[in-house]
């Protein structure tokens, strides 16, 4: 009999995952991860970890499976929280959920599970696992969840073959409504529980409050850039490249560049408390009124502490057709489909969770990889992940540089 350790989070998805595995004849152990206990920044009545661990315990009791809590807050602080502060400080926008899966659930947690004698680890993610044979060896596939509305393959885009080999996704083939129905039929305490939002396993966090613990407020100016100025800047980039266009890749490399703004390019329209609190494409929190269309963040300059904004979500300063990933940040789930320098591949890609897949091309170079899109993308943000797909299969991903 194979043993599976389920990450019971106190939510309905992981509860039903545990139930289905037990039904399928596995020996199931429930493990709750405690990742955070700084209550000063959590919104206390929104899903505090105590309630969650209690719900997880009740589910384990109901299913008659052993249950324990592991405290991973030290590793979580080191690998996720500190990383977030560092990224925001550099003016990048981290994705803690992707990191949490790579570093915590499928690394630290997985090691604990395997030490407990588990054959597999299971989570309540909405994604599926496939298997194909390549050169006589099994190769694992990360496939989208059957519920298109809930597909979480993007969050798992940094997983490796070793991690997938040991992972099960028991609810990936189900719709959310079916998962709730099973939980109700089995009288699981989590059946009606709302889906948790916010940082993975921290519960709801007020991001500005959270960031202000480490990153001190620092007053600076908000500058508005007109659409015309942004267009001129973008065109200037293109002409520069054409002059010295020795490389066939120059077009993609140009498209991946972003215009650099300076104070004199626009007019000061307000003040802010720190450029490092803002992210590209952000609309809320600028507190500048009186513009015909809402202002969006085009770029932040953390060195000079300036936020550059533009009116309306069609502002040319928000749009870009290509991005770059540095070599050490290129990650293949399907290592057998890795590209060599000079190779190009047609794929579909997304730069954020829930974004519909976009037609794209991968261009492999020595220094890393360019991803170019058929349609310009809005608010491509450094520090976020781009994931590429072949249909329902996520093939790889990388950090946008």
């Amino acid at each position: 009999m194979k043993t599976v350790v389920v990450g019971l989070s106190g939510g309905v998805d992981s509860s039903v995952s545990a139930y289905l595995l037990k039904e399928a004849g596995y020996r199931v152990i429930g493990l709750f991860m405690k990742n955070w206990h700084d209550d000063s920044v959590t919104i206390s009545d929104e899903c505090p970890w105590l309630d969650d661990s209690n719900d997880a315990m009740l589910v384990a009791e109901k299913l008659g499976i052993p249950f324990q809590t592991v405290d991973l807050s030290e590793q979580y602080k080191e690998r996720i929280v500190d990383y977030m502060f560092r990224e925001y400080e550099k003016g990048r926008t981290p994705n803690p959920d992707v990191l949490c899966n790579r570093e915590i659930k499928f690394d630290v947690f997985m090691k604990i599970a395997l030490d407990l004698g588990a054959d597999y680890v299971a989570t309540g993610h909405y994604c599926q696992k496939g298997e194909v044979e390549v050169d006589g060896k099994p190769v694992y596939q990360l496939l989208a969840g059957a519920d298109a509305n809930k597909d979480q393959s993007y969050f798992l885009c940094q997983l490796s073959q070793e991690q997938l080999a040991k992972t099960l996704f028991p609810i990936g083939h189900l719709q959310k409504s079916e998962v709730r129905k099973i939980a109700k039929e089995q009288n699981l305490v989590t059946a009606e529980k709302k889906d948790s939002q916010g940082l993975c396993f921290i519960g709801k966090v007020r991001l500005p409050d959270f960031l202000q613990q480490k990153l001190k407020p620092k007053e600076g100016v908000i500058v508005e850039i007109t659409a015309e100025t942004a267009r001129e800047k973008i065109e200037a980039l293109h002409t520069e490249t054409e002059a010295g266009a020795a490389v066939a890749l120059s077009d993609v490399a140009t498209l991946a560049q972003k215009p650099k703004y300076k104070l004199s390019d626009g007019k000061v329209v307000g003040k802010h408390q720190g450029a490092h609190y803002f992210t590209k494409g952000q609309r809320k929190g600028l507190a500048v009124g009186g513009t015909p269309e809402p202002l969006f963040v085009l770029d932040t300059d953390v060195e000079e502490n300036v936020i550059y904004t533009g009116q309306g979500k069609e502002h040319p300063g928000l749009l870009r057709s290509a991005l770059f990933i540095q070599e050490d940040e290129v990650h293949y789930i399907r290592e057998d489909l890795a590209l060599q320098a000079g190779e190009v591949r047609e794929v579909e890609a997304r730069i954020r969770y829930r974004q519909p897949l976009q037609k794209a091309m991968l261009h492999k170079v020595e220094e890393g990889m360019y991803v170019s899109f058929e349609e310009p993308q809005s608010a491509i943000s450094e520090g976020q992940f781009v994931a590429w797909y072949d249909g329902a299969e996520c093939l790889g991903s990388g950090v946008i540089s």
Side-chain angles (χ1 to χ4, degrees):
M1 192 193 245
K2 299 261 191 203
T3 300
V4 184
V5 167
V6 181
L8 280 182
S9 66
V12 67
D13 299 329
S14 60
S15 307
V16 171
S17 295
Y19 164 74
L20 291 174
L21 289 165
K22 198 176 172 225
E23 287 297 286
Y26 288 100
R27 179 167 160 260
V28 181
I29 299 171
L31 216 52
F32 177 83
M33 290 174 248
K34 183 182 176 190
N35 283 341
W36 187 251
H37 36 65
D38 177 349
D39 294 331
S40 63
V41 289
T42 41
I43 301 170
S44 53
D45 47 355
E46 295 271 4
C47 112
W49 71 269
L50 265 170
D51 290 357
D52 288 338
S53 84
N54 204 25
D55 288 345
M57 188 174 73
L58 292 171
V59 166
E61 259 172 37
K62 177 95 177 121
L63 295 176
I65 60 173
F67 173 78
Q68 66 184 67
T69 295
V70 285
D71 189 340
L72 305 182
S73 42
E74 215 171 289
Q75 293 96 320
Y76 193 87
K77 186 188 172 303
E78 224 167 82
R79 296 196 191 192
I80 309 298
V81 180
D82 293 348
Y83 152 84
M84 281 182 68
F85 286 132
R86 281 197 307 275
E87 289 287 277
Y88 274 107
E89 236 167 345
K90 290 184 206 150
R92 288 164 46 120
T93 310
N95 190 316
D97 295 296
V98 175
L99 258 271
C100 182
N101 284 320
R102 183 181 83 190
E103 299 285 331
I104 303 293
K105 290 184 211 169
F106 294 92
D107 187 43
V108 179
F109 180 76
M110 188 174 256
K111 287 188 176 112
I112 291 170
L114 298 176
D115 285 348
L116 286 173
D119 297 287
Y120 295 106
V121 159
T123 62
H125 281 104
Y126 284 86
C127 58
Q128 305 179 79
K129 175 173 147 180
E131 194 181 315
V132 290
E133 202 177 286
V134 179
D135 300 332
K137 285 191 208 66
V139 170
Y140 299 100
Q141 299 171 294
L142 175 65
L143 305 167
D147 187 335
N149 231 349
K150 280 280 171 196
D151 166 41
Q152 290 174 311
S153 57
Y154 174 78
F155 289 138
L156 300 177
C157 67
Q158 286 274 298
L159 294 194
S160 66
Q161 283 294 313
E162 293 72 55
Q163 289 168 321
L164 275 174
K166 297 272 180 209
T167 303
L168 300 175
F169 302 115
I171 60 166
H173 63 293
L174 297 171
Q175 301 291 312
K176 181 76 184 202
S177 53
E178 298 175 287
V179 170
R180 289 230 183 255
K181 187 165 167 265
I182 293 170
K184 260 200 200 102
E185 286 163 1
Q186 297 309 315
N187 282 326
L188 299 179
V189 60
T190 51
E192 303 287 342
K193 196 167 170 180
K194 286 217 308 271
D195 287 353
S196 70
Q197 294 295 322
L199 294 182
C200 132
F201 288 126
I202 296 188
K204 282 208 170 168
V205 167
R206 291 191 183 92
L207 201 58
D209 297 3
F210 182 63
L211 293 173
Q212 272 165 15
Q213 291 190 320
K214 262 275 185 43
L215 310 175
K216 293 288 163 263
K218 188 162 104 192
E219 190 172 275
V221 293
I222 298 173
V223 173
E224 186 189 332
I225 302 286
T226 64
E228 201 178 353
T229 304
R231 261 190 221 103
E232 282 168 11
K233 290 252 172 207
I234 294 161
E235 275 162 24
L237 283 175
H238 288 243
T239 44
E240 272 170 41
T241 314
E242 277 158 28
V247 222
L249 264 170
S250 64
D251 300 346
V252 183
T254 307
L255 294 173
Q257 280 182 40
K258 55 172 196 175
K260 284 263 184 280
Y261 301 109
K262 49 189 193 300
L263 269 175
S264 54
D265 290 332
K267 61 169 193 220
V268 173
V269 290
K271 289 199 161 61
H272 62 81
Q273 290 309 305
H276 44 262
Y277 299 141
F278 290 83
T279 62
K280 272 207 188 84
Q282 184 173 334
R283 175 182 161 180
K284 294 193 171 62
L286 286 165
V288 176
T291 55
E293 283 202 76
L295 287 179
F296 288 83
V297 176
L298 303 180
D299 209 356
T300 58
D301 182 341
V302 287
E303 301 291 310
E304 300 292 327
N305 199 28
V306 179
I307 294 176
Y308 294 101
T309 61
Q311 278 187 47
K313 56 176 188 288
E314 295 303 315
H315 192 287
L318 279 174
L319 303 171
R320 237 164 70 211
S321 298
L323 58 86
F324 182 65
I325 309 164
Q326 281 168 344
E327 181 58 36
D328 59 345
E329 301 277 22
V330 175
H331 172 75
Y332 297 103
I333 297 173
R334 288 289 302 272
E335 292 155 13
D336 56 310
L337 298 179
L339 295 176
Q340 301 306 312
E343 285 191 297
V344 175
R345 174 169 298 144
E346 215 170 299
V347 292
E348 289 183 298
R350 56 169 58 106
I351 54 169
R352 55 181 70 90
Y353 175 51
R354 283 184 174 252
Q355 180 193 26
L357 287 172
Q358 310 284 311
K359 285 191 167 172
M361 300 287 277
L362 305 179
H363 309 256
K364 186 72 185 74
V365 293
E366 293 290 350
E367 313 76 56
M369 189 186 289
Y370 287 100
V371 183
S372 63
F373 294 90
E374 201 172 277
E375 298 286 327
Q377 301 297 304
S378 182
I380 290 178
S381 306
E382 295 92 289
Q384 287 279 331
F385 290 84
V386 55
W388 55 90
Y389 291 73
D390 175 7
E393 183 179 2
C394 183
L395 303 175
S397 63
V399 181
I400 300 169
S401 81

